[in-house]
Amino acid sequence: MARLRALQLLIAASGFAGLGYEIVWTRQLALALGTEMMAVLGAIAGFFAGLALGAFVLDGRIRRAAHPHRIYAVLEAVIGLWGICAVWLLPASARTLAPLLGTAPSPVLLWSASFLLPTLVLLPATVAMGGTLTALERMMSAAHGRGPVSAGVYGANTAGAVAGTLLSTFVLIPSFGFSTTLLCLAAVNAACALAALRLGSPVQIDARPRGVHPRAAADLRLTGSLFATGLLGISFEVLVVRLAAQMMQDTVYSFACLLAAYLLGTAAGGLLWQRVGPRIALGRAGLIGSTALICLITALVTPFIGELADRAASLGVVGELGMALALFLLPSMAMGALFGRLIQDVRDIHGSVGWAIGINSLGAAIAPLVAAQLLIPALGSWKALVLVAMGYLVLLRPHRAVLRFAALPALLGLALLWRPAPLLVKVPPGGKLLAVREGPMATASVVDDASGARYLEVNGHFRMGGTSSVRSDFRQAMLPLLLHPAPRNALFLGVGTGATVLGGAQMPDLDVRAVELSAEVVALLPWFDHPASKQDRPPIAIADARRFIAADEERYDVVVADLFHPALDGSGALYTAEHFAAVRRRLATEGLFCQWLPLYQLDAPSLRAIIRSFLTVFPDGSAWLNHYSVRTPMLALIGSRAPRPMDPELLAGRFSDGKLRPIIQSLGFDQPIDLLGQYVAGPKSLASLAGPGPRNTDDFPFVTFDARSNVEALSAPPWQLLTTVIGEARTDAAELLDSSRRRTWNDRLEAYWQARNRFIQAGAALTGEPRGPALIAAAAPGLLAAIRSSAEFAPAYAPLMSMARSLLASDRPAAERLLLAIDEAAPSRHDARELLSREFAR
């Protein structure tokens, strides 16, 4: 009994290491290949193809071996050694592949490369993995001595995989990074190899010729069933994960919870079938019909589970794991029981499970491609899920006796296909849904709210901008373009609603290009055409930004990276030191890079890690604000290949340019101080703000695994991190200005920055949503304090004058008092005095 328990732990440990490797390697391959769906699908297919090859190639040798434990120990050693090699091999392959693919590879080329890279680079490890389960099953059979054990081995191995998924994602990678996690997993392989040598014993050799069986037709049906269950099971997983992205937070932890729930159900189903399967008369047909029915019921209730998303989000990871279990536990249990029955049938015929694993893995290898590139575009995710669930019915023999298993799921499936697909996009009260585009990567939608503001959403909850933020988007483009002395071309990474790109296109004589990951987002851009823009939309390449930058051969005067949601799975890779270094290589001699950061979506540790990473690549980097709104504060990190101090007099010359001035004036850049006033910190101050701590790198993706804290930051006051930044950062003119200009500009800028900080603090201090006189009473003292510091601070002066004018119609004494206070606070400006003279002349 003790030996059996030890073997069960060994089986679980093998599964633990296998899924740990899959988690790490998939993440590293995404850095190499990009996060386009074709690249992701290729990586998954390549992994399963290696497993299938190993299962086929090694099956006969293991089946005929008298000492399978020795073969198993060698396989574990190979996996561990190759896991260590992957520490260097995968990053090196990434550096080699991207330039070979180019910036716009065809889907066929991208998928082929994405399939071949993991297949070839990881082949020794994946082939060895493909043989481990066969060896473990033979070792367990010898120790058990009676009854079927194949389903139990599969279940125990999968249970270990659940632990590997969760521990790798929640503990190992966030604590140690990818390389050290791979070393830890290699240590598990070494322990498994040593344990196998200790626990193993000789077994009876199975001399049956492979594939020869009197029931040839039954063998053929079994082969088809194994292939189909791999295809249908992984297709079901891909489609549920795709739908779950619209319901869950879509972080790295969301995916881990979904994968763990799927594996947990599969393990439970396999173990359950081992215990009770031989004692019940359900049969293979009953298992197939039950699996189809349970999968269809899951499709039916998925929209109702989505309605619980907000409640689940409030519970954090626990809530997400609960949603994942609600989506996956029952259908994957049915799949696990069915596969357990099938591999036991295979063992009865062939004497080994390797053949079953190989056939099943082949189906799994093509499943992601079928689901994402055929089913979703043709039917949409939800109806594709229904069709996949009904696909299990094809496995039933066309016989009257099986109709009782097929009738109910067939009727339910046809009813679901007949009804319209449910929409998981949430429309605000009083709003309306204008357009939806669903693709293999994302569901993008255009929504109007009750006020008439239009915005773009991705996967139902990531808002990517809208009509209410056009001015801010234009400023995002214009600020870095104004900081460059004479930009001729610019590249924008990330498009959103397209306003930032259109804002850059307003710059005279500027060639603009853009890159956007999601084709669905690009398809909806016409809904956000800006009537004030006289330019056509610049060309947009649909590609992963990291891969595009690595493959591009152009040199750019300005590269602008848009706001990337740091919690969104995949976005953290756009904030790494390696990506920043790749962007630097794309800059022209005096090129400038601007990385915008959404302070209202970040926590302080992620911000500090990003700043530390940025400064390693741009040691003379600086930080700038986009605007002074406390609702959606943004910080720009600016770096240059040839940094030099600002000369306000040269800047004044650009501000007087007849073509440029009307454009920038409408954005609030009336004079150079309006631009220089956005400056927050230079390199010394930024380094002090960042402090000591980890950087965000490809090997240690701090921001990606800080997702839970960044999600929590969404419910904090949006100005919280902004006030931290302006409170800790020392804004020093000596780090900004040319030494010859400091005497003239130092006092003016110091006063302006002080006014800016008081303005922001006043905005953060406002409570509730005051309107009319209540807003004036609450906001006016802070605005007056700001213009007392600097009369040039137009963001405070202009609202005060607007308040005074609005009071003239309702409360003239209050208007007079406010105008007198404005004139006293900023006597150098004459607007208030002139309005007083005109409206209150005696």
Side-chain angles (χ1 to χ4, degrees):
M1 182 61 70
R3 184 163 173 256
L4 281 174
R5 295 293 184 192
L7 280 172
Q8 287 174 337
L9 287 175
L10 176 64
I11 293 167
S14 180
F16 176 96
L19 255 293
Y21 281 124
E22 184 177 353
I23 292 291
V24 175
W25 288 341
T26 301
R27 295 276 158 191
Q28 290 184 309
L29 286 166
L31 297 174
L33 301 166
T35 53
E36 294 109 324
M37 182 54 68
M38 295 304 293
V40 174
L41 299 181
I44 296 173
F47 190 87
F48 276 112
L51 295 180
L53 180 63
F56 285 129
V57 170
L58 298 173
D59 179 55
R61 182 174 181 82
I62 295 171
R63 183 164 58 90
R64 293 186 295 271
H67 299 279
H69 61 285
R70 295 177 182 175
I71 296 178
Y72 172 78
V74 171
L75 295 177
E76 287 288 355
V78 170
I79 296 168
L81 289 172
W82 208 254
I84 295 172
C85 291
V87 172
W88 297 277
L89 198 57
L90 284 176
S93 64
R95 291 190 293 269
T96 303
L97 184 64
L100 295 177
L101 286 174
T103 58
S106 67
V108 173
L109 176 60
L110 180 57
W111 188 88
S112 300
S114 302
F115 173 78
L116 288 173
L117 177 70
T119 301
L120 297 177
V121 172
L122 300 176
L123 193 63
T126 54
V127 166
M129 287 179 181
T132 53
L133 201 61
T134 305
L136 286 168
E137 193 272 343
R138 290 210 71 206
M139 292 164 60
M140 193 68 176
S141 295
H144 199 270
R146 57 183 174 80
V149 299
S150 299
V153 171
Y154 172 70
N157 188 259
T158 308
V162 175
T165 299
L166 295 176
L167 195 61
S168 295
T169 304
F170 285 87
V171 179
L172 293 177
I173 301 173
S175 300
F176 306 116
F178 290 140
S179 295
T180 304
T181 298
L182 288 174
L183 296 178
C184 292
L185 296 172
V188 175
N189 294 130
C192 288
L194 294 174
L197 293 174
R198 182 176 179 82
L199 295 170
S201 60
V203 301
Q204 182 178 356
I205 298 175
D206 186 348
R208 282 180 292 180
R210 181 176 174 181
V212 177
H213 193 273
R215 293 165 55 198
D219 199 5
L220 183 61
R221 285 195 300 272
L222 185 56
T223 301
S225 296
L226 284 164
F227 179 84
T229 51
L231 173 64
L232 295 170
I234 299 301
S235 294
F236 187 88
E237 180 190 8
V238 168
L239 292 167
V240 171
V241 169
R242 177 69 190 80
L243 288 167
Q246 302 175 60
M247 300 181 285
M248 299 169 70
Q249 293 167 353
D250 204 14
T251 68
V252 62
Y253 299 108
S254 303
F255 177 75
C257 289
L258 289 163
L259 181 57
Y262 180 81
L263 293 171
L264 180 64
T266 305
L271 292 169
L272 186 64
W273 178 253
Q274 181 190 11
R275 290 184 178 275
V276 304
R279 296 196 296 270
I280 61 176
L282 189 59
R284 193 191 301 176
L287 278 173
I288 291 171
S290 300
T291 302
L293 181 60
I294 292 172
C295 290
L296 286 166
I297 292 173
T298 300
L300 176 65
V301 302
T302 292
F304 302 101
I305 296 174
E307 293 177 2
L308 302 175
D310 291 337
R311 293 182 183 179
S314 66
L315 300 176
V317 173
V318 174
E320 293 221 301
L321 185 57
M323 287 193 67
L325 290 171
L327 289 167
F328 267 139
L329 185 61
L330 291 179
S332 59
M333 283 183 67
M335 294 175 193
L338 175 59
F339 185 65
R341 167 62 190 263
L342 292 174
I343 61 173
Q344 189 59 50
D345 290 348
V346 168
R347 191 178 190 283
D348 293 341
I349 296 174
H350 296 277
S352 173
V353 300
W355 178 78
I357 295 168
I359 293 293
N360 189 259
S361 295
L362 279 180
I366 67 169
L369 185 65
V370 171
Q373 294 301 310
L374 297 178
L375 296 180
I376 293 177
L379 301 171
S381 301
W382 187 80
K383 287 203 172 183
L385 187 67
V386 174
L387 189 65
V388 166
M390 294 182 68
Y392 281 96
L393 300 179
V394 178
L395 306 182
L396 293 171
R397 293 175 61 189
H399 192 276
R400 183 180 301 176
V402 303
L403 287 179
R404 65 182 187 275
F405 301 114
L408 182 57
L411 291 173
L412 177 58
L414 291 172
L416 293 178
L417 287 175
W418 181 262
R419 61 167 287 185
L423 285 174
L424 297 177
V425 178
K426 295 180 181 178
V427 180
K432 57 183 177 179
L433 180 64
L434 300 179
V436 178
R437 292 290 185 276
E438 184 177 16
M441 290 205 63
T443 297
S445 56
V446 181
V447 179
D448 272 0
D449 64 18
S451 68
R454 180 173 300 173
Y455 52 87
L456 174 69
E457 278 193 348
V458 172
N459 287 338
H461 49 269
F462 288 104
R463 189 168 295 187
M464 311 299 287
T467 54
S468 61
S469 63
V470 169
R471 187 172 185 268
S472 172
D473 295 336
F474 276 29
R475 284 172 65 97
Q476 278 181 246
M478 200 56 65
L479 185 142
L481 292 172
L482 290 173
L483 292 176
H484 189 282
R488 293 160 298 178
N489 62 356
L491 175 67
F492 288 80
L493 305 179
V495 170
T497 62
T500 304
V501 177
L502 282 176
Q506 310 304 306
M507 176 73 75
D509 305 317
L510 182 73
D511 179 33
V512 173
R513 296 179 65 188
V515 181
E516 169 57 44
L517 177 64
S518 173
E520 295 75 34
V521 167
V522 175
L524 294 177
L525 290 183
W527 288 92
F528 297 93
D529 283 342
H530 192 261
S533 175
K534 298 180 175 59
Q535 285 77 15
D536 293 333
R537 186 179 297 111
I540 299 172
I542 299 174
D544 175 81
R546 277 187 62 114
R547 189 183 56 74
F548 185 94
I549 284 291
D552 197 11
E553 296 180 352
E554 292 289 328
R555 298 281 182 171
Y556 299 96
D557 291 323
V558 177
V559 176
V560 181
D562 209 337
L563 302 167
F564 305 121
H565 294 265
L568 181 61
D569 196 7
S571 293
L574 296 171
Y575 293 125
T576 66
E578 289 83 356
H579 176 58
F580 293 153
V583 173
R584 183 185 175 93
R585 291 192 289 271
R586 297 275 67 80
L587 296 178
T589 304
E590 294 186 340
L592 177 149
F593 173 50
C594 171
Q595 174 65 70
W596 285 104
L597 302 175
L599 296 183
Y600 51 98
Q601 295 168 340
L602 274 168
D603 71 334
S606 280
L607 174 64
R608 298 182 201 277
I610 292 170
I611 293 174
R612 286 190 286 267
S613 302
F614 191 84
L615 289 176
T616 61
V617 179
F618 297 98
D620 293 304
S622 57
W624 301 67
L625 294 175
N626 178 20
H627 49 60
Y628 307 127
S629 166
V630 297
R631 302 295 176 184
T632 55
M634 308 171 194
L635 189 73
L637 298 179
I638 304 286
S640 175
R641 284 183 66 98
R644 58 183 181 182
M646 291 293 302
D647 186 340
E649 303 306 322
L650 291 178
L651 194 60
R654 294 192 68 197
F655 273 58
S656 61
D657 182 286
K659 293 182 180 178
L660 182 61
R661 183 165 179 76
I663 299 168
I664 61 176
Q665 258 189 323
S666 65
L667 301 179
F669 296 123
D670 188 56
Q671 52 183 327
I673 199 168
D674 295 322
L675 176 64
L676 300 177
Q678 311 292 120
Y679 176 78
V680 174
K684 293 180 181 177
S685 182
L686 266 182
S688 176
L689 173 65
R695 294 179 296 128
N696 188 51
T697 66
D698 285 354
D699 188 62
F700 191 81
F702 181 89
V703 173
T704 295
F705 288 88
D706 192 39
R708 287 175 290 176
S709 297
N710 287 323
V711 168
E712 291 170 3
L714 296 174
S715 59
W719 55 82
Q720 183 171 289
L721 191 52
L722 173 62
T723 55
T724 298
V725 169
I726 65 171
E728 295 184 15
R730 183 174 178 272
T731 310
D732 187 355
E735 291 192 83
L736 173 67
L737 298 179
D738 184 279
S739 57
S740 63
R741 306 296 184 187
R742 290 177 197 163
R743 180 174 298 179
T744 306
W745 282 83
N746 188 76
D747 291 343
R748 288 178 63 192
L749 282 172
E750 291 287 351
Y752 195 98
W753 292 329
Q754 188 178 49
R756 174 196 69 195
N757 293 349
R758 288 181 173 176
F759 179 86
I760 290 171
Q761 290 161 357
L766 284 178
T767 57
E769 297 288 341
R771 294 285 188 272
L775 173 62
I776 295 172
L783 300 180
L784 288 168
I787 63 171
R788 286 191 190 99
S789 297
S790 172
E792 293 183 281
F793 189 69
Y797 193 88
L800 282 168
M801 290 301 299
S802 178
M803 290 175 182
R805 291 188 182 95
S806 69
L807 284 173
L808 286 172
S810 59
D811 192 343
R812 290 180 65 83
E816 183 178 13
R817 289 193 298 271
L818 182 56
L819 286 167
L820 288 169
I822 295 171
D823 186 58
E824 180 185 357
S828 61
R829 302 190 69 150
H830 306 297
D831 307 60
R833 193 175 310 152
E834 290 174 0
L835 188 56
L836 275 167
S837 300
R838 186 167 63 249
E839 295 290 336
F840 299 96
R842 295 291 186 263

